[in-house]
Amino acid sequence: MLSPLLSLPGAVAGDGVDAPVAAHYGSFNGEQRTLVGGEGFVDLSHREVLRISGPDRLTWLHDLSTQFFRDLTPGRWTHALMLSANGHVEHAFTGVDDGEAFTLHTEPGRGAALLDWLTKMRFWSKVELEDLTGELAVTWRAKPDLDQEADHAQGYELVPRDQLATYAAAAGPAAGLWAFEALRIERGEPRLGIDTDERTIPNEVGWVGPAVHLDKGCYRGQETVARVHTLGRPPRRLVMLHLDGTENRLPAQGSPLTVAGDERGKEVGFVGSSARHHELGPIALAVVKRNVATDATLVVDGMPAGQEVVVDPEVGLHVRPNLRG
């Protein structure tokens, strides 16, 4: 559903799955600087919202997911994944418990599949599931202390959808999704289905730590995650690309990557999300094969791109200790 905040002055709608919210409000570079300065908010009301209530909700989520949910502190946002039996990421979400229910949000278009999967996994657990996308909207508000917290997720807020306009008036200035995405890419945070594919395991994209708790009991797919973590050398790795700034374009999501100078043009990975950063210029996230040299120049859509390591190819962990979220 289209956000009512698209009526704000200067609002320009996004593209693809992000079309229901504003890409920018006239100056995406200025909006990035506003967020970096600890001010403003971002409309993420196109994300889908589910609520899980009932006395068994946290132990149930603990057993199903990659995250440690037992004794989760009320009010603390956390990330979690649901994996296939082979360890491939099937669902990713971020949520918060209020002491009575756990409310989560996930990528646009993925809420129904997650709700269906969770419903099938209830068995005898005392949990109730609801889709609250029509009632609650997701926003993210910049906070001056987020850098110190090193936890970007704590900026998320849930707002009654019919109160979005009132919220915007109090939380402004508004920053668009282009600004939010540029800063996310800089941090090396992947989005499910955009920076990942059906073969992605958590170790490849830096989710071990932020979304995968290594000191918890068994869950579906744990064997793969634990084996790769113990042995190291995941088959692929997430990188940030510094794109050629002379080209006035960004690569399409899913564009294949090759190594510069390889006459065979062998595909070595794919590009996920891309953006124009206010300081770094055009950047993107990409998944490449582990054996691609970290200093190799890559080529996407005819553009050369330098790599910046995000996930260590030997140990499968995010290299940035101050990763937020």
Side-chain angles (χ1 to χ4, degrees):
M1 61 186 72
L2 289 178
S3 171
L5 301 188
L6 284 173
S7 63
L8 291 178
V12 175
D15 299 314
V17 296
D18 297 326
V21 297
H24 63 87
Y25 296 90
S27 174
F28 60 88
N29 280 334
E31 292 160 25
Q32 287 181 52
R33 296 187 181 97
T34 296
L35 295 179
V36 171
E39 298 181 353
F41 80 97
V42 181
D43 178 13
L44 300 173
S45 60
H46 61 321
R47 291 184 64 84
E48 300 186 6
V49 180
L50 307 179
R51 175 167 288 171
I52 306 168
S53 58
D56 294 343
R57 67 190 183 283
L58 294 182
T59 54
W60 181 68
L61 284 169
H62 184 92
D63 292 340
L64 288 177
S65 78
T66 59
Q67 190 55 275
F68 197 103
F69 275 98
R70 291 177 182 169
D71 304 319
L72 179 65
T73 302
R76 183 76 184 178
W77 287 85
T78 190
H79 303 288
L81 311 174
M82 300 295 185
L83 308 181
S84 72
N86 293 323
H88 300 135
V89 181
E90 294 186 336
H91 302 285
F93 58 88
T94 301
V96 64
D97 196 79
D98 63 6
E100 296 183 356
F102 182 81
T103 305
L104 65 88
H105 59 85
T106 189
E107 288 288 340
R110 292 184 174 266
L114 177 56
L115 179 61
D116 180 65
W117 189 84
L118 290 172
T119 300
K120 292 176 181 177
M121 299 303 293
R122 281 193 303 176
F123 300 114
W124 298 279
S125 298
K126 296 178 181 178
V127 294
E128 298 296 331
L129 305 170
E130 301 175 86
D131 185 341
L132 295 184
T133 305
E135 300 175 32
L136 290 177
V138 182
T139 64
W140 187 86
R141 189 186 299 201
K143 298 178 181 179
D145 60 348
L146 281 180
D147 284 337
Q148 285 69 41
E149 280 191 300
D151 193 351
H152 166 82
Q154 305 314 313
Y156 287 117
E157 296 181 337
L158 295 166
V159 180
R161 191 168 288 274
D162 60 2
Q163 296 178 26
L164 267 175
T166 302
Y167 172 90
L177 200 64
W178 281 4
F180 183 81
E181 289 287 272
L183 300 178
R184 173 187 65 81
I185 293 170
E186 179 194 13
R187 291 191 298 269
E189 295 176 13
R191 280 180 68 178
L192 181 71
I194 296 177
D195 302 305
T196 69
D197 60 15
E198 69 282 355
R199 297 188 293 120
T200 299
I201 62 174
N203 316 66
E204 295 178 324
V205 294
W207 272 332
V208 174
V212 178
H213 198 290
L214 293 172
D215 299 321
K216 59 163 288 185
C218 184
Y219 55 87
R220 192 169 74 153
Q222 182 191 30
E223 182 179 353
T224 297
V225 174
R227 181 176 65 251
V228 174
H229 179 70
T230 300
L231 299 178
R233 303 167 70 84
R236 301 182 299 176
R237 58 187 175 87
L238 185 72
V239 301
M240 186 171 77
L241 300 179
H242 293 268
L243 302 164
D244 182 2
T246 64
E247 298 281 355
N248 189 27
R249 57 193 171 94
L250 294 171
Q253 191 272 329
S255 297
L257 282 165
T258 59
V259 176
D262 182 0
E263 296 179 356
R264 300 170 299 170
K266 183 179 179 181
E267 185 175 333
V268 296
F270 68 90
V271 169
S273 48
S274 57
R276 291 180 174 85
H277 191 276
H278 70 289
E279 292 181 340
L280 301 177
I283 56 176
L285 290 180
V287 173
V288 300
K289 294 180 178 179
R290 182 189 57 77
N291 59 4
V292 173
T294 57
D295 60 353
T297 297
L298 304 179
V299 178
V300 55
D301 193 21
M303 292 182 285
Q307 300 178 65
E308 183 172 339
V309 175
V310 173
V311 171
D312 189 311
E314 298 301 319
V315 298
L317 292 175
H318 206 289
V319 300
R320 299 178 184 178
N322 294 323
L323 173 67
R324 295 190 294 273

